[in-house]
Amino acid sequence: MERSVRELWAESRDLLGLPCPPMDDPSAASAVPRVDLPPTPLAFLRDHVSPGRPLLVSAAATRHWPAASLWPIASYLTDTLRSTAVSLHLTPDGRADALASHPHPDPQRAGSSRCFASAHVRRVDFPAAVRLIRESDPAAGLVAYAQQQDDCLRGEYAAVAGDVDAHVPWASEALGCLPEAVNLWIGNAHSVTSFHKDHYDNIYAVVSGEKHFLLLPPTEHHRLYVRDYPAAEYVAAEQDADGEHQLRLKLEMEEPERIVPWSSVDPCPSSPEEMAAQAAAFPLYFDGPAPIRCTVRAGEMLYLPSMWFHHVSQSPGPNGLTIAVNYWYDMQFDIRYAYFNFLRSLEIDHRSSGIAGDLEGDLEENND
Amino acid sequence: MERSVRELWAESRDLLGLPCPPMDDPSAASAVPRVDLPPTPLAFLRDHVSPGRPLLVSAAATRHWPAASLWPIASYLTDTLRSTAVSLHLTPDGRADALASHPHPDPQRAGSSRCFASAHVRRVDFPAAVRLIRESDPAAGLVAYAQQQDDCLRGEYAAVAGDVDAHVPWASEALGCLPEAVNLWIGNAHSVTSFHKDHYDNIYAVVSGEKHFLLLPPTEHHRLYVRDYPAAEYVAAEQDADGEHQLRLKLEMEEPERIVPWSSVDPCPSSPEEMAAQAAAFPLYFDGPAPIRCTVRAGEMLYLPSMWFHHVSQSPGPNGLTIAVNYWYDMQFDIRYAYFNFLRSLEIDHRSSGIAGDLEGDLEENND
């Protein structure tokens, strides 16, 4: 089975026209097809949506947006949204919707040592939100990210929604619908989004700074070791220290228990020891082909096909912020989705490949 | 594995919007979406090509073709092609490119009792070809079918190619190319095409009579028991009998040996005994959902997505002939093709489903 699955990875990358370099090959960057001008709806549908092939559209895509010139100016957004309350996502380390150490590990069950941690969401005035984002510092235990994914550009941020196109015309015409949600994302280098997939066709436009994507096609599902984790959330404990008001975040398990299937893999471990542990625990990821790397710069748009796994980090622009807008379009649930579910239903027997000795407890529980 | 594969069948039919009735349910007919007018290129691409969903376009599709009125007139084609030599496919029973009894069965190997039989192809003047097609009779051991699949409408039949559109405009625009081949098919009720798939997107237009398709999506590959068969071809032995010149066909194995992977399943066995043997030998087909049935009438066009398995029988029009034109467009080899090859690489262990006792020798040799 493992051999067949590895052949599937190689063939699908080959058919996508995306290379399959070894994990440590830096030439894996920029493999995503790039065009200068937005495609016609027909070409976009035929060459990207239908085959599930990403596309990077260069700066011409958003040059006409008022946001392109206005949003990078530090004062514009804080002035326009001066009295607007927005949902700010707070974590100690910039990792919202990601695995974290279980706050009450069960020593009897190695597999329960990690949980799925959601951010503490707090409504604050926009200028205060921007201040907290800029001051984000894992060393100080607080990272803020405005990333409310509930159509927030047309909701909380409606006052500036007119600064960007309401939809992506060539995508809307190709897909035959308008976006289901349009979201605004404001963060800095400390916020990272862990590997996951969305049931949407996604157009991701960067307005300030850069977004760095690691991409895996849906066929590489098994490489991500999606496992069931108990959900937890950060809760706030206010405290006064040295005469200053401080916010301290504490991770608490959700009650009643909620289970979230999530990728076990951290593709960018923070230490050599953690890298060694990850590589031993998740060999299908770390021994497999490098993920497709794609940096989306200010003014560019990435088409990210539905069901593609993506891990996102970011670099701020001169204004200290990474600002992006994404358009989620309803995906077509077709035979590819059936194939994906079939693939997902198959277990790869790691033991037969002679790596059983390296597996951590997590891998013993395949409940995906 | 068998359970996962059966779930794949059910989910892909469900997502295609095509029903999954039991094998003996006559309501399985006419499940293919039907439209009165040709779709726009964008809608065709989005709703049919991309998801791999067949489409039947009603009589409006070819009403403007001169062929629609000219070809059904018995004398028109024979007059226009009076001195044209065409490739006529001759078999004793109307089954070209189909399994047949091995002419020299090896008693040691039950699996070698069938072979893949190709027609005897003979160049004859078109009027003689039509006469042979009309007189086709399995009882007399000779069935003729003009079905040269080498772009023959633009080759042997170039004199009448102008009677139909050179391509299908909405399909060409959607697929971004012109047809790779345009073929003409002239036969009568005695010719049957066995289950197979093509690596083309296919537009099939009927001009006279009716074509009856049994369809299975690519996800149902295992139901067809594709196995390796040695190739054979019918060769002609002329003979004079009772003062009349007769053509007798004899099956001979190809030398050197050539192996053809082909479906083992005959969905329309000719006798109750043969039906019982087929049902016992190929339970994934006969115990599974009914194939999708679709009759294409004169003037109608069927879009048959690439990689779909199809079995075709036919009924003649008032002129005694079934006449059709098909357009083969290069398919897009994308992630669906990789998924299909992955699926095909997996063996279903029939023995574990408790039906081992019924299997015939053929099934022991899974060399697909």
Side-chain angles (χ1 to χ4, degrees), chain B residues 97 102 114-119 228-233 252-262:
Chain B
D97 297 343
H102 197 297
R114 291 200 286 174
C115 62
F116 173 81
S118 300
D228 284 350
Y229 291 96
E233 57 187 348
E252 289 194 355
M253 298 311 295
E254 289 186 21
E255 295 284 354
E257 187 182 57
R258 182 169 70 97
I259 296 296
V260 177
W262 205 256

Side-chain angles (χ1 to χ4, degrees), chain A residues 1 4-5 8 11 15 42 45-46 50-51 173-176 219 332 334 336 338-339 341-343 345-346, chain B residues 1 4-5 8 11 15 42 45-46 50-51 173-176 219 332 334 336-339 341-343 345-346:
Chain A
M1 175 66 75
S4 290
V5 169
L8 170 63
E11 186 172 24
L15 293 173
L42 201 62
L45 186 57
R46 183 172 57 221
S50 174
E173 190 175 339
L175 301 167
T219 40
Q332 175 134 222
D334 61 22
R336 286 171 300 185
Y339 272 130
N341 286 332
F342 169 70
L343 177 67
S345 76
L346 304 176
Chain B
M1 176 65 74
S4 290
V5 169
L8 170 64
E11 186 172 24
L15 293 173
L42 202 63
L45 185 56
R46 184 172 57 221
S50 175
E173 191 176 339
L175 300 167
T219 40
Q332 175 135 224
D334 61 21
R336 286 171 299 186
Y337 186 69
Y339 272 131
N341 285 332
F342 170 71
L343 176 67
S345 76
L346 304 176

Side-chain angles (χ1 to χ4, degrees), chain A residues 163-187:
Chain A
D163 294 344
V164 307
D165 281 347
H167 64 117
V168 183
W170 42 275
S172 301
E173 190 175 339
L175 301 167
C177 58
L178 291 170
E180 182 71 16
V182 185
N183 298 308
L184 179 65
W185 310 68
I186 305 179

Side-chain angles (χ1 to χ4, degrees), chain A residues 210-266:
Chain A
E210 297 181 348
K211 291 268 186 181
H212 313 290
F213 287 80
L214 299 181
L215 305 175
L216 289 181
T219 40
E220 295 181 29
H221 162 81
H222 288 95
R223 300 186 62 195
L224 292 172
Y225 296 84
V226 175
R227 302 284 177 262
D228 285 350
Y229 291 96
E233 56 187 349
Y234 289 104
V235 294
E238 319 285 333
Q239 60 180 31
D240 288 305
D242 304 332
E244 226 181 299
H245 181 77
Q246 270 196 345
L247 190 70
R248 202 173 53 82
L249 296 172
K250 212 180 84 185
L251 192 58
E252 289 193 353
M253 299 309 297
E254 288 187 21
E255 294 283 354
E257 187 182 59
R258 183 170 69 97
I259 296 295
V260 177
W262 205 255
S263 171
S264 306
V265 175
D266 178 358

Side-chain angles (χ1 to χ4, degrees), chain A:
Chain A
M1 175 66 75
E2 183 174 337
R3 195 170 62 100
S4 290
V5 169
R6 285 185 185 270
E7 282 167 8
L8 170 63
W9 303 344
E11 186 172 24
S12 64
R13 292 257 194 140
D14 184 47
L15 293 173
L16 284 161
L18 295 169
C20 219
M23 184 58 79
D24 53 0
D25 182 350
S27 73
S30 304
V32 170
R34 170 189 282 274
V35 290
D36 286 335
L37 293 174
T40 65
L42 201 62
F44 176 57
L45 186 57
R46 183 172 57 221
D47 301 333
H48 297 279
V49 180
S50 174
R53 180 184 292 132
L55 176 68
L56 191 57
V57 183
S58 79
T62 62
R63 194 172 290 154
H64 63 287
W65 288 5
S69 51
L70 294 174
W71 291 7
I73 302 167
S75 60
Y76 171 78
L77 285 176
T78 45
D79 285 352
T80 312
L81 297 165
R82 186 181 309 112
S83 49
T84 302
V86 300
S87 301
L88 193 62
H89 291 236
L90 302 168
T91 56
D93 56 3
R95 294 165 181 269
D97 296 344
L99 299 188
S101 291
H102 197 296
H104 320 294
D106 177 351
Q108 302 299 310
R109 296 181 63 229
S112 66
S113 60
R114 292 200 285 174
C115 62
F116 173 81
S118 299
H120 172 61
V121 182
R122 176 168 286 213
R123 299 266 293 177
V124 297
D125 283 350
F126 183 75
V130 168
R131 199 162 49 242
L132 282 163
I133 293 166
R134 283 186 206 276
E135 292 168 358
S136 288
D137 184 2
L142 195 65
V143 173
Y145 193 11
Q147 61 145 335
Q148 185 76 359
Q149 297 165 49
D150 62 353
D151 198 27
C152 69
L153 183 63
R154 303 188 290 200
E156 295 180 351
Y157 297 95
V160 296
D163 294 344
V164 307
D165 281 347
H167 64 117
V168 183
W170 42 275
S172 301
E173 190 175 339
L175 301 167
C177 58
L178 291 170
E180 182 71 16
V182 185
N183 298 308
L184 179 65
W185 310 68
I186 305 179
N188 76 357
H190 296 298
S191 282
V192 173
T193 303
S194 64
F195 261 128
H196 69 290
K197 67 179 190 309
D198 298 310
H199 290 79
Y200 291 103
D201 276 308
N202 196 351
I203 303 273
Y204 211 105
V206 175
V207 178
S208 169
E210 297 181 348
K211 291 268 186 181
H212 313 290
F213 287 80
L214 299 181
L215 305 175
L216 289 181
T219 40
E220 295 181 29
H221 162 81
H222 288 95
R223 300 186 62 195
L224 292 172
Y225 296 84
V226 175
R227 302 284 177 262
D228 285 350
Y229 291 96
E233 56 187 349
Y234 289 104
V235 294
E238 319 285 333
Q239 60 180 31
D240 288 305
D242 304 332
E244 226 181 299
H245 181 77
Q246 270 196 345
L247 190 70
R248 202 173 53 82
L249 296 172
K250 212 180 84 185
L251 192 58
E252 289 193 353
M253 299 309 297
E254 288 187 21
E255 294 283 354
E257 187 182 59
R258 183 170 69 97
I259 296 295
V260 177
W262 205 255
S263 171
S264 306
V265 175
D266 178 358
C268 310
S270 52
S271 69
E273 295 72 28
E274 175 60 13
M275 171 58 109
Q278 287 267 328
F282 311 118
L284 295 180
Y285 183 81
F286 289 93
D287 292 350
I292 296 145
R293 290 170 187 276
C294 177
T295 288
V296 186
R297 298 187 172 77
E300 296 178 339
M301 273 184 176
L302 173 67
Y303 164 61
L304 182 63
S306 57
M307 306 293 286
W308 273 62
F309 295 96
H310 50 294
H311 174 280
V312 194
S313 57
Q314 43 196 358
S315 313
N319 61 351
L321 301 174
T322 312
I323 309 179
V325 171
N326 90 292
Y327 301 81
W328 267 334
Y329 286 87
D330 280 338
M331 67 175 275
Q332 175 134 222
F333 289 89
D334 61 22
I335 211 163
R336 286 171 300 185
Y337 186 69
Y339 272 130
F340 175 80
N341 286 332
F342 169 70
L343 177 67
R344 194 169 61 166
S345 76
L346 304 176
E347 285 187 42
I348 297 185
D349 183 2
H350 302 283
R351 287 165 202 84
S352 67
S353 66
I355 53 172
D358 296 329
L359 300 181
E360 70 162 25
D362 271 1
L363 303 186
E364 303 296 317
E365 309 184 302
N366 187 346
N367 300 313
D368 174 32

